[in-house]
Amino acid sequence: MEFQPFVRTRMLDAKPAPVTSVGPAGWIRRNLFDGPLNAAMTLVMAFVIFLLLSHLLPWVFLSVWHAESLAECREIIDQRYGTGHSGACWAVIHERFFQLVYGFYPPELYWRPNLTFILMLGALAPILFTQLPRKMMVFSALFPFLGAWLLWGGSVWQPVLVLAGFGIGFAAWTALAKVNGILAIAAGLILPVLWWVFAMEPVVNGLHAVIPLGLEPVDSTQFGGFMVSVVIGVTAITLSLPLGIMLALGRQTDLFIVRTVSIGFIEFIRGVPLITLLFVASTLLNYFMPPGTNFDLIVRVIIMATLFSAAYIAEVIRGGLAALPKGQYEAADSLGLDYWQAQRLIIMPQALKIAIPGIVSTFIGLFKDTTLVSIIGILDPIGLSNAIRADSAWQGIYWELFAFIGFVFFIFCFSMSRYSMYLERKLNTGHR
């Protein structure tokens, strides 16, 4: 037989991948049935999930949303689904929704916390998302004073003169910075405190008597529900990060006094339970103020929560600093940068990228720990749930209240976790 040479002149068309290796079927095969052990675990977990959902879904969806008591809820469930059927009584959420959100805040003033929450999102936006114009940071800096005034009310001159205290401190620091650095820092810290404690209130009263502008005051005892958790959590998170950075730097400095104070503060705070600090805030902190000073309880709790979180943030950031190779510090020195320039431009950005997961975990833990304030008499969602269950109409109800509270906390905490992942991807955190 004569050999006939053949040379292909046209490429064959690509054949589709096997059905079992692409699409949903491929994903299931790779992730759920990749071997006997994986397949057995998949079947066992599917059976467990089926058992859980078969009991949970009827309880969630075969429920009552409108009733005035737990007894009425159970009567409606028996009439609709038969005697002995177990269903959720979501009517308690419907009846006490505004109380769980606002506590005992006056209903006609709900627009103030609502507006504060919207403005808070606007103030956080340029901090969380760098694509936004940097000019928006001016509003971010002013929001704490505006938000506090909206929530607590009172004279408009109160937040204006509190802001003026920071201006006094900055002016003192600027004037003395070229003379003596230590003196400039001391003046920048002490003068605002003296202004706020001794001089501000008479000036506020005088200005308000001449130009009476303000909102109806609301006492902290009327705050409650998720509003308290958001106010304490967001404020403490915002303040604890810069304070934690300063503590982390102070712990590594060569200045003996600064290092000793930083280490002592961090170790003391980390060695004391948060609930102990909250008791200190509710009972002892007011004794350090001048007689007659009304130091708001929520402000005291914010201070203690901030200090508690800052100590843990400092250790997380110290871990990020320790993870940086020594060459980064040497590179900063070779460029002729001073200490603060090196920290701002080279060291701290890299350390913060490394520490992002730990920082966000600390923030999530702090936000969940705001439920501890119920122990010192602040009616957060947990405290309000106890008050609701003490009502004779809702005695015996548990799961519905705690499920709703847990779901709302999950939304906040899951959002922080997802933002952390977004930030890591954006900054290319990790080694490739």
Side-chain angles (χ1 to χ4, degrees):
M1 178 182 294
E2 184 180 354
F3 176 74
Q4 297 291 332
F6 173 77
V7 178
R8 184 177 297 279
T9 59
R10 183 177 62 87
M11 294 295 293
L12 293 176
D13 295 333
K15 294 183 178 181
V19 177
T20 56
S21 63
V22 296
W27 184 91
I28 292 173
R29 183 180 179 182
R30 289 192 305 271
N31 294 278
L32 302 181
F33 295 96
D34 185 18
L37 179 59
N38 198 359
M41 292 296 295
T42 297
L43 294 175
V44 170
M45 292 306 300
F47 179 70
V48 172
I49 293 173
F50 171 77
L51 289 179
L52 291 174
L53 294 181
S54 63
H55 290 82
L56 180 62
L57 293 181
W59 180 82
V60 172
F61 293 105
L62 302 180
S63 54
V64 176
W65 280 94
H66 299 281
E68 295 183 358
S69 68
L70 180 59
E72 184 180 348
C73 257
R74 290 172 175 169
E75 291 178 2
I76 295 174
I77 291 174
D78 290 342
Q79 292 173 3
R80 289 181 181 177
Y81 311 112
T83 305
H85 176 80
S86 177
C89 183
W90 299 117
V92 65
I93 306 300
H94 181 265
E95 288 288 317
R96 300 299 183 96
F97 176 78
F98 291 105
Q99 188 176 7
L100 287 169
V101 174
Y102 302 102
F104 299 100
Y105 207 86
E108 67 275 9
L109 301 179
Y110 282 168
W111 65 270
R112 284 163 52 176
N114 292 339
L115 178 60
T116 303
F117 183 76
I118 295 172
L119 294 177
M120 181 192 74
L121 297 179
L124 291 176
I127 299 174
L128 301 178
F129 304 100
T130 56
Q131 302 91 333
L132 296 175
R134 295 293 88 193
K135 293 181 179 180
M136 293 179 62
M137 295 290 289
V138 176
F139 176 72
S140 302
L142 296 177
F143 169 75
F145 309 97
L146 176 61
W149 177 61
L150 285 173
L151 290 176
W152 276 273
S155 174
V156 72
W157 301 110
Q158 188 85 20
V160 171
L161 293 183
V162 170
L163 182 61
F166 288 99
I168 292 172
F170 179 76
W173 177 79
T174 304
L176 298 175
K178 296 181 180 180
V179 178
N180 187 300
I182 301 298
L183 180 61
I185 294 174
L189 295 175
I190 295 175
L191 289 180
V193 174
L194 295 176
W195 164 260
W196 293 326
V197 174
F198 297 104
M200 189 181 74
E201 187 173 355
V203 178
V204 169
N205 294 334
L207 289 174
H208 189 71
V210 178
I211 308 176
L213 297 176
L215 295 173
E216 179 183 344
V218 178
D219 194 77
S220 291
T221 56
Q222 297 177 277
F223 285 39
F226 290 106
M227 184 177 70
V228 162
S229 297
V230 171
V231 169
I232 296 176
V234 172
T235 307
I237 287 172
T238 304
L239 296 177
S240 64
L241 181 59
L243 181 57
I245 293 174
M246 297 306 296
L247 287 171
L249 295 177
R251 183 160 190 161
Q252 293 192 327
T253 186
D254 295 330
L255 299 175
F256 176 77
I257 295 179
V258 176
R259 185 176 68 252
T260 302
V261 172
S262 299
I263 293 175
F265 175 86
I266 292 171
E267 297 302 330
F268 172 77
I269 295 295
R270 293 176 69 233
V272 177
L274 177 59
I275 187 62
T276 303
L277 298 177
L278 293 180
F279 276 119
V280 170
S282 64
T283 57
L284 299 179
L285 199 58
N286 218 28
Y287 290 109
F288 294 95
M289 302 303 295
T293 302
N294 183 20
F295 200 178
D296 192 274
L297 178 58
I298 292 181
V299 176
R300 285 181 267 164
V301 170
I302 289 174
I303 292 173
M304 286 302 178
T306 300
L307 297 179
F308 182 82
S309 178
Y312 283 87
I313 291 293
E315 288 299 281
V316 172
I317 294 176
R318 187 170 70 93
L321 292 171
L324 287 181
K326 187 178 179 181
Q328 297 296 317
Y329 296 88
E330 295 174 347
D333 293 336
S334 67
L335 292 174
L337 302 179
D338 61 26
Y339 177 81
W340 293 110
Q341 289 175 331
Q343 292 295 335
R344 181 171 61 89
L345 300 174
I346 296 179
I347 306 302
M348 195 52 64
Q350 298 182 74
L352 290 176
K353 286 197 297 183
I354 296 172
I356 284 174
I359 292 173
V360 175
S361 296
T362 303
F363 287 165
I364 291 174
L366 173 63
F367 187 75
K368 293 187 293 185
D369 284 343
T370 58
T371 55
L372 294 175
V373 299
S374 61
I375 299 176
I376 60 173
I378 298 177
L379 293 179
D380 74 314
I382 299 297
L384 281 172
S385 70
N386 295 331
I388 292 171
R389 291 188 294 109
D391 188 344
S392 58
W394 299 108
Q395 282 183 355
I397 196 164
Y398 294 94
W399 293 107
E400 292 85 346
L401 286 169
F402 294 130
F404 174 72
I405 294 171
F407 176 72
V408 175
F409 270 95
F410 170 78
I411 291 176
F412 280 98
C413 296
F414 182 72
S415 300
M416 285 189 276
S417 175
R418 300 306 297 182
Y419 175 77
S420 169
M421 297 175 65
Y422 155 79
L423 197 59
E424 290 181 39
R425 291 192 300 269
K426 178 183 176 182
L427 300 177
N428 295 320
T429 302
H431 300 283
R432 295 182 177 179

